[in-house]
Amino acid sequence: MLITIQRAKAQKGETMKRIENSNTMIIGIDHGYGNIKTANFCFRSGLLSYDSEPTFTRDMLVYDGRYYLFGEGHKEFSSEKTKDDEYYILTLAAIAKELEKENVTEADIVIAAGLPLTWMSGQKEAFRRYLLKNEDVSFTYNTAEYKVHISDVKIYPQGYAAIADTAPKMKGLNLIADIGNGTMNTLYIVDGHPQNAKMYTDKYGTYQCTLAIREIFQQKTSRELNDIIIEEVLRNGSADISPADLKIIKAVASGYVDGIFKRLREHGYDEGTMKLYVTGGGGCLIRNFSRVNPDRVILIDDISAAAKGYEYMAALQARKQV
């Protein structure tokens, strides 16, 4: 049987990959500590759980007798994503959003997800079992009932996924830096080939910058600063706040970006001899709070690049298996 990859039609944006001549959909999910990303959606990884239906029910998922609301706060950093059921519930929400976009409530799917580079060997199989613990699962999302059969789960290296489709064409020495909310993953690619001996995972995600801003702002002003304001400044470079407050935030953010490049240099980064590709939320900070050579430092703006990359790699793997 010949298998090719096609895109299902949708009203706007990207659509999930399907495997032709089958009913299987591939849904890529980037399980971040700050946000959950799919090819079409990005939502906060904060999760609130209730025994009974809450007052406000927007973006509500009902599973196994409990009610879940999404979008407030974020997950705390943990080196093991399988320690509780939260990422599983967030996975169901991500699946629901993609299926809702396609006007589908019953589906056979393959989940394509990822882990930080240096966690792959030790955690890949455990994370796969975690996401595949219920092959058949039913839940309600935004009052619609969903029945999903999870036929397989594929786990890929975080960071590489965002440039997987273009990596084989990269010439010379290149460094990939995936800067998320919890971790920064760096990977060397030489003439299109990822280097197993040259990949690193640092606990230096953008939330470390948020924590530093919160602490220093309180020291300087004796006031508390809401994370929503911090995130707006980090994402856009400004916010509707006083110039004095903005100056404090920008100074700390600039220091954090200096820390990014310090860690990259510790891993061997040299702007003169290699190109740097930055993906993840950290790219916004580099754009807003530093000056880089755009010919040597390429910022990948698509927040869903990793999720799309997971889908891409799962689709290629499906072809090779046939």
Side-chain angles (χ1 to χ4, degrees), residues 17-20 22-26 108-110 151:
K17 284 185 172 64
R18 297 175 185 266
I19 301 178
E20 193 175 2
S22 79
N23 294 321
T24 303
M25 300 176 176
I26 302 173
D108 184 354
I109 70 168
V110 169
S151 59

Side-chain angles (χ1 to χ4, degrees), residues 2 18 20 23 92 135 162 196 200 235 247 250 272:
L2 175 65
R18 297 175 185 266
E20 193 175 2
N23 294 321
L92 297 184
E135 291 187 7
N196 282 301
Y200 311 92
R235 184 169 52 250
K247 183 178 179 180
K250 293 176 72 172

Side-chain angles (χ1 to χ4, degrees), residues 164-302:
D165 58 339
T166 58
K169 302 175 184 177
M170 291 182 177
K171 301 300 182 183
L173 184 58
N174 302 274
L175 180 62
I176 313 302
D178 178 15
I179 308 170
N181 190 265
T183 60
M184 180 174 76
N185 292 273
T186 50
L187 170 69
Y188 279 84
I189 294 182
V190 179
D191 289 330
H193 299 289
Q195 306 296 295
N196 282 301
K198 295 281 285 182
M199 57 184 183
Y200 311 92
T201 298
D202 295 296
K203 187 184 176 183
Y204 198 66
T206 58
Y207 194 59
Q208 300 299 311
C209 181
T210 298
L211 293 175
I213 291 171
R214 189 194 300 165
E215 180 178 354
I216 292 176
F217 187 89
Q218 189 170 37
Q219 290 175 0
K220 289 182 176 294
T221 68
S222 299
R223 293 153 45 214
E224 291 188 0
L225 184 63
N226 192 288
D227 283 0
I228 293 176
I229 298 297
I230 298 174
E231 291 174 12
E232 183 178 357
V233 175
L234 297 183
R235 184 169 52 250
N236 302 318
S238 186
D240 186 15
I241 60 178
S242 74
D245 290 347
L246 181 61
K247 183 178 179 180
I248 295 172
I249 299 173
K250 293 176 72 172
V252 180
S254 296
Y256 168 78
V257 173
D258 290 342
I260 289 176
F261 283 97
K262 179 178 182 293
R263 281 161 174 76
L264 292 178
R265 287 191 295 271
E266 289 171 351
H267 295 317
Y269 171 61
D270 174 59
E271 181 181 350
T273 58
M274 63 186 72
K275 284 189 175 181
L276 172 65
Y277 293 80
V278 181
T279 184
C284 293
L285 278 73
I286 292 176
R287 174 180 292 103
N288 294 327
F289 306 107
S290 70
R291 293 182 179 180
V292 295
N293 182 349
D295 294 327
R296 308 298 298 172
V297 179
I298 296 89
L299 305 179
I300 300 173
D301 293 324
D302 188 353

